[in-house]
Amino acid sequence: MTRVKLLYVNRMRDRHGKVRFYFRRHGKRTPLPGLPGSAGFMAAYQAALAAKPSPVATGQDAKGTFSALIAGWYGSASFKGNAPGTRRTYRYDAERFREKHGHRLVADLKAEHVEKMMDAKAETPAAANKLRQFLRQLMKQAVRTKLITADQNPMRGIERLKSNNPDGFPQWEAEHLALFRAHWPIGSKPRVALELLLCTAARRSDAIRLGPQDIRDGAIYFRAQKTGDAVGVPISAELREALDAMPVRPLRVFIATEYGKPFTGNGFYNWFTARAREAGVPKGLGVHGLRKSAACHLAEQGFTVPEIAALGGWKTLALVQHYIRGVDRARMLKNAMARQARLQAKP
């Protein structure tokens, strides 16, 4: 069967395991029906291809609007100073916001409007807080460019929503890892993915780019896309065994699609989540939970918080401390019990 390769088309598997296709350009994602090459698919593809991107605001009539503010923000030092991954996230959020509110005046945005937008996302606090973070950055640009004063900034006093899960993404426990390993043996692609994520504590945006070229002297070296930091992690025995069992062929990346191409971040997330469910791993445990588990695994081996932050590319020590606090509590309890036993053993 001939494979149809089309510009801007992304393929991903949803949480039910169904393959879906999307047209993605200029930060906007449009679902495409059916399969590539079918009449319905090609009609939707041609329509998406012909659609005009959101215009960059120009001219006197656009002055003071969110469209003009966003266009100026893209060219600012504050935006360009972010890591590439962060810039992509902000640009995606900005284009979605501009599509809906680009014609509105920046000076008209009030705190109550922001609170209403966040309230609409109350069932998903992470999404509400992501919107808050984006608007905080955007309104700082509005203050810098004197569209509003610092006192007029509507983001002052806007609080984060409390998460439904204060501990964040659930961590994979030993029994979950055992389930996955029992279902996906050494030599399978899902097993390589698991061991790679667990060994490196890499974000999905980094894990999908790792390949043989990143291995030197028994370690994997890469630069984290989100932070730009250089990361080096010793290869674990489990990862070495999984890599050695991979089919011998020219590899660009360790984890590739069925077509031999690198995954997109979302595509890998959906693919790995589906493989975890097939292995019987409970719903809710995914890629990010493995990153948390990797931090805890390093802590259990005696690595310090700064060492774990350096190995995993975490920017702040506080985040690592938050991840491993359960390990710290268990270690302190174990030490306290050992101390008590020694005291009781004394004559």
Side-chain angles (χ1 to χ4, degrees):
M1 184 176 73
T2 303
R3 291 175 182 167
V4 181
K5 295 184 178 180
L6 299 170
L7 196 62
Y8 306 120
V9 173
N10 292 323
R11 174 186 182 277
M12 62 182 63
R13 192 181 299 271
D14 65 19
R15 66 179 184 275
H16 304 295
K18 184 176 180 180
V19 174
R20 297 184 182 279
F21 295 88
Y22 295 89
F23 181 96
R24 182 163 183 163
R25 184 173 59 167
H26 304 298
K28 184 178 180 181
R29 192 176 74 170
T30 304
L32 299 171
L35 296 174
S38 66
F41 182 99
M42 296 308 297
Y45 173 74
Q46 292 297 334
L49 198 62
K52 299 291 185 181
S54 301
V56 173
T58 57
Q60 196 67 26
D61 60 334
K63 188 174 181 179
T65 64
F66 276 105
S67 188
L69 174 62
I70 290 169
W73 185 41
Y74 289 161
S76 70
S78 64
F79 183 84
K80 292 178 178 179
N82 290 308
T86 303
R87 290 201 299 271
R88 280 194 297 274
T89 299
Y90 278 149
R91 187 180 287 271
Y92 177 75
D93 292 338
E95 289 305 321
R96 292 182 66 187
F97 188 85
R98 179 156 70 167
E99 187 175 351
K100 189 172 183 179
H101 303 288
H103 62 288
R104 301 182 189 278
L105 291 174
V106 176
D108 288 343
L109 183 67
K110 307 300 179 188
E112 55 265 31
H113 300 143
V114 177
E115 289 172 347
K116 186 175 180 180
M117 286 188 279
M118 290 183 66
D119 286 344
K121 300 176 181 289
E123 292 185 3
T124 52
N129 291 331
K130 186 169 179 279
L131 172 65
R132 172 184 174 273
Q133 177 62 17
F134 157 67
L135 287 175
R136 278 170 58 87
Q137 297 303 314
L138 189 61
M139 298 314 290
K140 284 181 182 178
Q141 175 69 9
V143 172
R144 280 191 294 267
T145 55
K146 297 182 169 39
L147 284 176
I148 59 173
T149 66
D151 290 339
Q152 293 172 323
N153 188 342
M155 299 308 298
R156 294 193 315 158
I158 299 292
E159 302 285 344
R160 289 175 55 86
L161 295 189
K162 291 184 178 180
S163 173
N164 295 329
N165 182 4
D167 291 328
F169 292 93
Q171 175 188 339
W172 289 55
E173 303 294 347
E175 60 266 28
H176 304 138
L177 297 174
L179 275 173
F180 195 100
R181 285 167 170 152
H183 188 84
W184 299 109
I186 289 294
S188 65
K189 185 167 66 175
R191 183 63 172 270
V192 172
L194 175 83
E195 304 300 352
L196 187 66
L197 291 165
L198 198 58
C199 171
T200 63
R203 299 175 182 87
R204 58 180 170 175
S205 58
D206 296 319
I208 59 177
R209 297 183 296 114
L210 296 178
Q213 68 280 357
D214 300 308
I215 295 181
R216 298 190 304 277
D217 303 322
I220 296 181
Y221 296 90
F222 61 96
R223 189 168 294 279
Q225 274 201 330
K226 183 174 181 179
T227 63
D229 291 340
V231 179
V233 185
I235 297 177
S236 65
E238 293 83 1
L239 177 58
R240 172 50 61 196
E241 185 183 12
L243 292 178
D244 288 346
M246 291 183 70
V248 178
R249 66 178 189 277
L251 293 175
R252 292 171 53 198
V253 292
F254 292 130
I255 314 168
T257 68
E258 60 187 86
Y259 300 111
K261 303 293 185 182
F263 275 102
T264 63
N266 287 337
F268 174 66
Y269 174 87
N270 292 330
W271 173 83
F272 186 82
T273 300
R275 304 294 80 76
R277 297 298 87 78
E278 289 172 18
V281 176
K283 186 177 180 180
L285 292 173
V287 173
H288 200 92
L290 274 176
R291 180 164 161 80
K292 185 175 180 180
S293 298
C296 293
H297 181 63
L298 291 170
E300 288 166 352
Q301 295 180 66
F303 285 88
T304 65
V305 169
E307 287 170 338
I308 295 170
L311 287 170
W314 280 282
K315 203 71 173 176
T316 63
L317 300 184
L319 183 57
V320 176
Q321 289 171 327
H322 175 74
Y323 279 177
I324 69 170
R325 61 185 179 180
V327 175
D328 286 339
R329 283 196 297 267
R331 184 189 297 137
M332 286 188 290
L333 177 61
K334 182 179 179 180
N335 292 342
M337 292 175 67
R339 189 180 303 113
Q340 185 179 40
R342 288 195 300 269
L343 290 172
Q344 290 175 346
K346 286 184 177 180

